[in-house]
Amino acid sequence: MLDEEQQTRFSNSGVPIVLPDVAEFESRCQLWNSMIDRKPIAIAACKNKRDVQNAVKIAKTLGLKICIKGGGHNIAGAAMASGALMIDLSDMRDVLVDPETRVAYVQGGATLADVDRATQVHNLAVPLGIASETGVGGLALGGGMGWLSRQFGLTCDNLLAAEIILADGTVTRVESNTHPDLFWALQGGGGGFGVITQFEFRLHPVGPKVLFGPTVFALEEGHKALRLWDAFLKSAPHHATIWVDIAMAPPAPFLPPHVHGTPVVILLQCWVGNVDEGADALAAIQEHPDALGSWVTQRPFVEAQQFIDEAYAKGARNYWSPSAHVALTDALIAGLLDIGATLPSKESDILLCGLGGAIDDVAPDATAYPHRGTRIMAVPGARFHDEAQDETMIAWAKQAGASLAALGSSAAYVNFISESGGRRADAFGTNQARLKQIKTRYDPDGMFLGTRDNLRAADN
């Protein structure tokens, strides 16, 4: 805990400080992944840019490390570092939309739901992720992939500018023609360069409705389902996206009761554009004779963005082990189905992100996100609630991840990596050296802790 003199310094600056001896501290420390057990030394509950600036200046004077909480949704718990000062942006969630210039101005603590509510009023959207409780900041700083990525690129590809508080406390506007190296790093480099108080994103026409929903196959028909998915994506237009989830069948009314709770292959489809064309294009999937059921229909885009929220709700223990693949080989299909038959809990799954399209229109070194050309990001995920199962569940996820990586590569999207500070080479590849140089230039003392850092380092 901060000593009395340190507390006074924050109090005199006007920064709202929350200490470990009050109930609010625990509520602000609750992250999406309940497996995270680290705690900060104190929380700066910032209300505005000035609070952030003052908190950074005082932390620098006191020699404190800083972790930053936006939505608190990161699998590795990047918002939380032991012994550090947490700058909590969760009270800074305003989203302003300029429909004429198609730009969204998004505060650093906003969630996907906050952005979608504000932008869909104008039938516009930022390409974001797939769970509406996710914080926009962490998503964008790691890359950001979701239903619109094949059509409009990653979230970081749609970043126009950012307002950032640097290590010396200065407020700096970063864009491609003013601070090109830092702007490059903010496009998928995992954060840790400063505190971003506002993002500016490019908006695209989307909605108000899209064609969206699941078609479900039994695991025994998984080879057919995955080949169907692969064939579709090879020729699909960029405005069509399908992700796959190998999971236990939910008790959904469109599925026969006897398959509830059994392993299935779910093809989650999103079509942005002419609905009649989409219905024709997706008919071969939805009407496949081996499909157990389908629930693809016109939905408000906001509803599509929230479709999997319940399945990935806050509060469970989660461990992921991702890998990257450039092709869906027969060996990979066999590996996926074998692992799918061993799901260790009813909430565990294997998520397969169908990529390509506009994502690959950007060169691997044009942004810090390096995984252009990856067609599939495979993510075995153990999800459970009993801490006593940690060892068993983590072992399952690691083994599953290793076996899939052997069929592709260990390259991984940084936002899917469970170990804080781990797998840097897998996350950033040849871009890692440049990221390190930029980090040294803008944060030479390593005050800001991001997804590339050991989040227990503040104990030292």
Side-chain angles (χ1 to χ4, degrees):
M1 182 183 289
L2 298 173
D3 62 33
E4 189 172 339
E5 181 181 347
Q6 292 170 333
Q7 293 177 40
T8 300
R9 294 194 64 169
F10 280 106
S11 178
N12 289 342
S13 73
V15 177
I17 285 292
V18 182
L19 299 173
D21 57 354
V22 300
E24 183 184 354
F25 182 88
E26 286 302 322
S27 65
R28 287 185 178 271
C29 284
Q30 290 178 3
L31 304 182
W32 171 78
N33 186 1
S34 67
M35 188 178 286
I36 307 304
D37 61 356
R38 302 180 294 268
K39 287 291 189 291
I41 193 171
I43 299 172
C46 298
K47 308 297 183 188
N48 50 52
K49 175 172 59 179
R50 179 173 294 180
D51 285 346
V52 176
Q53 187 176 25
N54 287 336
V56 169
K57 287 179 177 178
I58 295 171
K60 184 174 182 63
T61 301
L62 298 177
L64 298 175
K65 301 286 188 181
I66 290 176
C67 55
I68 304 159
K69 181 184 177 185
H73 209 271
N74 178 260
I75 182 70
M80 195 84 68
S82 298
L85 173 71
M86 177 197 283
I87 291 186
D88 187 355
L89 303 177
S90 58
D91 294 325
M92 298 173 60
R93 296 171 56 173
D94 288 348
V95 179
L96 299 177
V97 176
D98 186 334
E100 299 300 320
T101 61
R102 291 185 177 173
V103 175
Y105 301 86
V106 181
Q107 283 194 313
T111 65
L112 273 58
D114 296 324
V115 174
D116 291 335
R117 272 194 299 270
T119 58
Q120 277 295 284
V121 171
H122 308 282
N123 294 335
L124 297 170
V126 179
L128 296 170
I130 62 170
S132 72
E133 293 181 348
T134 305
V136 173
L139 177 83
L141 291 171
M145 57 180 66
W147 305 124
L148 302 180
S149 299
R150 281 177 43 83
Q151 186 172 9
F152 301 122
L154 301 172
T155 308
C156 70
D157 298 334
N158 290 274
L159 181 66
L160 299 172
E163 178 185 81
I164 186 170
I165 313 295
L166 296 174
D168 62 0
T170 59
V171 181
T172 303
R173 178 180 166 81
V174 178
E175 50 190 330
S176 60
N177 60 354
T178 56
H179 297 274
D181 56 345
L182 183 54
F183 184 74
W184 177 90
L186 297 181
Q187 293 182 286
F193 302 96
V195 186
I196 298 183
T197 50
Q198 182 172 270
F199 296 86
E200 297 176 25
F201 291 111
R202 183 183 298 110
L203 288 164
H204 301 273
V206 175
K209 291 189 176 183
V210 297
L211 199 60
F212 185 92
T215 300
V216 181
F217 294 79
L219 189 69
E220 292 76 14
E221 304 295 341
H223 192 280
K224 293 178 184 177
L226 291 173
R227 276 286 163 235
L228 192 64
W229 173 51
D230 187 47
F232 180 84
L233 286 184
K234 283 179 178 177
S235 60
H238 287 190
H239 53 265
T241 295
I242 302 178
W243 286 21
V244 175
D245 199 23
I246 300 175
M248 297 297 188
F254 69 92
L255 293 176
H258 73 273
V259 306
H260 295 174
T262 66
V264 293
V265 178
I266 305 170
L267 274 59
L268 281 162
Q269 302 146 71
C270 182
W271 180 281
V272 179
N274 184 284
V275 172
D276 292 334
E277 290 180 7
D280 291 341
L282 297 171
I285 296 173
Q286 297 159 34
E287 298 172 6
H288 194 281
D290 292 312
L292 293 170
S294 190
W295 192 29
V296 179
T297 185
Q298 290 188 58
R299 307 175 192 273
F301 178 67
V302 170
E303 181 182 318
Q305 285 283 86
Q306 298 173 356
F307 191 83
I308 69 163
D309 280 5
E310 184 176 350
Y312 289 94
K314 181 179 180 178
R317 303 176 76 79
N318 296 270
Y319 193 94
W320 299 345
S321 187
S323 60
H325 304 267
V326 297
L328 186 66
T329 64
D330 285 338
L332 178 57
I333 290 176
L336 289 166
L337 297 179
D338 285 347
I339 296 167
T342 69
L343 295 174
S345 71
K346 65 179 182 180
E347 295 175 89
S348 298
D349 67 346
I350 310 167
L351 183 65
L352 305 174
C353 310
L355 307 177
I359 299 170
D360 296 343
D361 293 340
V362 179
D365 60 354
T367 67
Y369 177 89
H371 306 302
R372 314 292 177 168
T374 295
R375 290 193 62 237
I376 301 166
M377 197 67 73
V379 194
R383 181 176 169 86
F384 56 104
H385 297 270
D386 185 356
E387 183 177 352
Q389 294 182 291
D390 279 3
E391 185 176 348
T392 299
M393 293 292 183
I394 292 173
W396 176 87
K398 284 186 173 181
Q399 177 57 45
S403 65
L404 294 179
L407 300 170
S409 82
S410 61
Y413 173 40
V414 68
N415 285 350
F416 287 166
I417 296 174
S418 289
E419 303 88 353
S420 67
R423 301 182 61 178
R424 292 181 180 89
D426 292 340
F428 302 108
T430 56
N431 289 343
Q432 184 183 353
R434 185 178 175 190
L435 281 168
K436 185 176 181 180
Q437 292 172 351
I438 296 169
K439 172 72 170 178
T440 301
R441 176 180 175 186
Y442 286 94
D443 184 18
D445 298 322
M447 181 168 66
F448 297 111
L449 301 173
T451 53
R452 297 182 315 281
D453 301 297
N454 178 357
L455 299 175
R456 297 187 184 276
D459 285 329
N460 301 326

